[in-house]
Amino acid sequence: MGKRQRRRERTSRNPKQQSAIPPTPQQPQHNDSITYEVDRVPVLRVEFRDGISPDNRTTCSRYWAVDSAGAWKEHTTAIGAGRDAQAMTHFLNRHSTAFLLTEPCVECKKPLVARNRAAVIKLAGNKFARHRRATTWHTCPSCEENAKGQASREVQNAVNDFFAQQQVGAQAAPKTLITLPVFEDDAFEPEGSVFAADGDAAIRTTKNLVVAAALALYASSARSTYVPALTTIASTDGAPWGGRGAWGDLSTNGYLGWFGTTNDDLEALSALHRAGFISPHRSTPGQAFYLDNGRLSIPVDLAVWQLTLSLDDSLMLIDSDLRLLGNAMVSYCDRSLDHPLHYVLVELEAKTVIAYINHLLVNRYLYPQVPHVRLSELTALVERALHEYEYTRGQLVAFAWRAVDTVAAWKERNHLDPRQASSAVVTTLANKIEAARSKQQHIPEYDLPSWHIDPPALEAAHRMAALLWPKRYPTNETSAHGRQ
């Protein structure tokens, strides 16, 4: 037996003793590729998929072909064989990959991938001229996904730290939700058009207090200390807020929330959060949070809120602030009608009456809503009837029903356009109110239909008014709080 045979036998008995040099890892080589140069500088490399047919390879080569000046050799209309731009891009990405050799990713330094010629011009400039690029840096899709994942992890860590700190250290309990200096130095003037001055400090503070009461009442009815996100309370696309199309332009973002208008809800929730009355609840979706210059933030309408106090303490705080608000306004309000809470009540009741009118037009008569150009006129008319003429909401519902019915009959008799009928509702309603006042007619009170549900802030405002003026605003809402 020779030495070679004995060596083979030893190796077969103990293969671990075999000394083998580990192979050097090789980068995958694409033999089937084409590189194009501009001014002797490689600018574009096209790699073809394995198993590509000769015809498809020819089509891809013709599409990506670049001359020495950086211009495309052929027009796409001569290559696409009847394909549109989207179909041609799908064909190219299925059979080839184009790498921009002069445009590396700013993160991983690998060449960027271009899906079509438009992407080449966007990333590398026309004729691969670097000074003609739309932007000066780019990131490949894989690095973008990694960056998004890293940002998501940072936000999630910040959210976890926020709720951990919120659970360990109790937030300082708020002592008041109103700022009394806003009522000093004649800051509140009941004369004139108060409804047009929505930014008045007294009205704004009262709205915040009414929304706080609505939050507490909701939490009390749900036997919990958290309230749902603003975008999940109700939608204008369906019940219960007046039915489909009832609220119209009153809600700008498709939901109505607590007060009936998006801006009032956002301002009130922001103010209550700053005052420490509410804070984000742990059930808030994690994707709603984001980092703003390293500070954890969340859109007001996406947050699920919780009361920082217990239910009893929250209601006691609102009650004390309400009485404090009433005492502060005594020198400015000779009557309850001049109190900012009454103006808030009038605004809320006017919203429900307008929603009722829109519902009749859209769902019963199949007309469009009251035109946007006349919505402010209708709002002023209804608010004036509630405030100056002291009609009740039930009486305004009766006026609204008669006005819409009259307009519908007038439209059918004269074969008019439905849009004319919707616009004529405002004029007809004004005429009926003035005729009733001049003749001193007794106007009955109509109840709103069963499908109509008021915004939560209206019930809260009625309860608050009953605490200040129990005779004028009895707790039983069916009783008239105005003159017939």
Side-chain angles (χ1 to χ4, degrees), residues 173-355:
K175 297 182 179 179
T176 181
L177 300 179
I178 62 176
T179 306
L180 289 181
V182 299
F183 305 113
E184 298 177 358
D185 300 329
D186 296 333
F188 177 74
E189 295 292 342
E191 293 81 8
S193 178
V194 178
F195 304 111
D198 182 69
D200 187 271
I203 300 294
R204 181 70 264 163
T205 301
T206 307
K207 286 182 178 181
N208 297 344
L209 196 60
V210 169
V211 173
L215 298 178
L217 290 177
Y218 181 94
S220 177
S221 62
R223 299 183 181 276
S224 176
T225 58
Y226 85 95
V227 293
L230 194 60
T231 54
T232 60
I233 297 176
S235 172
T236 56
D237 291 335
W241 296 98
R244 184 179 300 273
W247 287 84
D249 295 325
L250 295 179
S251 177
T252 56
N253 290 347
Y255 56 86
L256 290 162
W258 304 100
F259 201 83
T261 47
T262 304
N263 292 335
D264 288 325
D265 282 330
L266 295 179
E267 292 184 19
L269 292 175
S270 299
L272 295 176
H273 178 249
R274 290 193 300 268
F277 184 75
I278 55 177
S279 61
H281 191 261
R282 182 173 287 275
S283 60
T284 301
Q287 59 269 23
F289 292 91
Y290 64 95
L291 290 177
D292 184 10
N293 294 328
R295 181 181 178 183
L296 187 65
S297 304
I298 183 175
V300 177
D301 54 345
L302 298 181
V304 178
W305 300 102
Q306 65 179 356
L307 305 179
T308 56
L309 304 175
S310 64
L311 288 175
D312 294 338
D313 292 341
S314 299
L315 294 175
M316 289 178 59
L317 174 62
I318 295 172
D319 181 69
S320 64
D321 276 354
L322 179 62
R323 298 187 186 280
L324 190 63
L325 179 65
N327 295 332
M329 295 301 299
V330 169
S331 59
Y332 297 100
C333 304
D334 297 331
R335 308 175 302 160
S336 61
L337 294 180
D338 295 331
H339 197 281
L341 180 58
H342 177 73
Y343 289 116
V344 174
L345 262 174
V346 167
E347 181 178 345
L348 285 168
E349 290 183 343
K351 294 178 189 297
T352 61
V353 174
I354 297 174

Side-chain angles (χ1 to χ4, degrees), residues 9 28-29 44 85 159 175 182 218 243 245 291 353 399 426 433 443:
E9 290 180 356
Q29 298 294 328
L44 184 67
V159 171
K175 297 182 179 179
V182 299
Y218 181 94
L291 290 177
V353 174
F399 276 125
V426 181
I433 292 177
I443 305 300

Side-chain angles (χ1 to χ4, degrees), residues 68-79:
S68 59
W72 307 109
K73 290 185 177 181
E74 295 186 63
H75 197 274
T76 54
T77 55
I79 306 170

Side-chain angles (χ1 to χ4, degrees), residues 446-467:
Y446 286 5
D447 293 331
L448 286 168
S450 58
W451 48 258
H452 183 92
I453 297 179
D454 293 325
L458 182 57
E459 180 185 358
H462 273 293
R463 294 196 182 192
M464 295 168 66
L467 293 176

